[in-house]
Amino acid sequence: MELRGKNVPRLREVNDIERATAKKARESWHVLTIMAEFIESTERLSELRPAVSIFGSARTKADDPHYALCVDIARRLSDAGFAVISGGGPGIMEAANKGAFDGASPSVGLNIELPHEQHGNGWQDISLSFRHFFARKVAFVKYADAYVVLPGGFGTLDELTEALTLMQTGKSRLMPVILVGSKFWGGLMDWIKTQLIDDGMISPKDLDLMQVIDDPAEVVVAIQKFYEARQKPAGADGDSEQQTGMYL
């Protein structure tokens, strides 16, 4: 098919055969390493449920109140029967693993190889290492039954908005998404209401995909209530929408 006279190069048309062969070999190996990460995460995590993925800044220090708050939440979730999944690194990730490690359920770290910032913490019962962000991100959503999101930067916002997008578009099942820290998240929630909803970028009901909760005990209760409601027969309380959803 001609594209209006445009020159669209194809790998098979590269004149330098050695260059084309080397490029195909690199790309094929790249695909195989991605497949290997999906396979390993499936083997290690597919029977882990119920589990909760916890997110937050890698830069949060151990003396920060959010660090202690995360340890408390993770310990409560672990003792309530939820495995806790974090990014395996420092900061909030470390706090999540630390709290879960001392609890009754597994502490899981999905570590990522980065040139800066990331290093594995020592509180992981199950430790996986990823080279590719998107394979790691799939694991965060696929094996979690809830998201707990503490204050963080671009990476935290990326994980949050991706989970919301997948649920909004029906590409993953509905699950609780809990934002911890009303002071931190208040500005974002106001912006969503005054910009995204008022400008018609999202539906008002999309705001229901998130909850803002500060108390650690209430975080656990909110997750448990969500799944208790899903176990009810459709129409039992007039709201069967949350009881459906696709699994990623």
Side-chain angles (χ1 to χ4, degrees):
M1 182 180 68
E2 295 185 4
L3 297 176
R4 294 178 283 129
K6 292 184 178 181
N7 179 23
V8 182
R10 294 180 174 84
L11 187 59
R12 294 179 180 177
E13 298 171 355
V14 176
N15 293 326
D16 188 335
I17 301 301
E18 290 186 2
R19 175 174 172 269
T21 300
K23 187 174 181 64
K24 285 189 285 186
R26 286 197 304 271
E27 292 302 319
S28 296
W29 181 251
H30 187 66
V31 171
L32 288 173
T33 60
I34 293 170
M35 291 173 60
E37 291 185 353
F38 280 125
I39 291 170
E40 183 181 11
S41 62
T42 298
E43 290 180 344
R44 301 286 301 278
L45 304 178
S46 59
E47 297 300 320
L48 190 68
R49 286 176 173 159
V52 176
S53 288
I54 297 182
F55 301 94
S57 177
R59 305 182 186 189
T60 302
K61 304 301 181 183
D63 59 355
D64 188 300
H66 289 124
Y67 185 100
L69 181 62
C70 183
V71 171
D72 189 5
I73 292 171
R75 176 62 185 268
R76 290 172 184 268
L77 287 168
S78 181
D79 286 339
F82 293 94
V84 171
I85 304 172
S86 91
I92 291 298
M93 294 179 284
E94 178 184 281
N97 285 136
K98 186 176 182 180
F101 190 82
D102 292 334
S105 302
S107 172
V108 182
L110 306 184
N111 302 268
I112 184 72
E113 297 177 14
L114 295 175
H116 306 290
E117 191 173 275
Q118 178 82 5
H119 60 271
N121 65 67
W123 287 279
Q124 302 176 44
D125 297 305
I126 300 174
S127 179
L128 281 75
S129 181
F130 292 83
R131 292 179 59 191
H132 305 94
F133 262 118
F134 75 90
R136 179 179 181 245
K137 290 168 72 174
V138 168
F140 274 128
V141 179
K142 185 176 179 64
Y143 301 108
D145 297 288
Y147 264 29
V148 173
V149 190
L150 284 92
F154 287 152
T156 302
L157 294 173
D158 177 46
E159 298 289 357
L160 170 62
T161 53
E162 181 163 43
L164 294 173
T165 300
L166 289 170
M167 290 190 291
Q168 181 199 50
T169 57
K171 294 299 182 181
S172 73
R173 68 196 185 286
L174 293 176
M175 63 179 177
V177 175
I178 298 172
L179 309 181
V180 179
S182 55
K183 182 178 180 181
F184 181 87
W185 296 109
L188 175 63
M189 298 300 287
D190 290 341
W191 178 78
I192 290 173
K193 295 173 184 177
T194 59
Q195 294 295 321
L196 298 187
I197 292 178
D198 287 355
D199 290 350
M201 304 297 178
I202 64 172
S203 301
K205 68 177 183 180
D206 290 333
L207 198 62
D208 296 336
L209 295 172
M210 298 175 284
Q211 306 175 63
V212 180
I213 301 175
D214 290 327
D215 182 78
E218 291 181 8
V219 171
V220 179
V221 170
I223 295 172
Q224 291 173 327
K225 282 185 175 180
F226 180 91
Y227 285 101
E228 287 172 0
R230 285 190 59 160
Q231 292 173 359
K232 294 179 181 179
D237 54 5
D239 181 10
S240 61
E241 184 176 356
Q242 286 191 331
Q243 298 168 34
T244 62
M246 299 169 60
Y247 280 80
L248 185 69

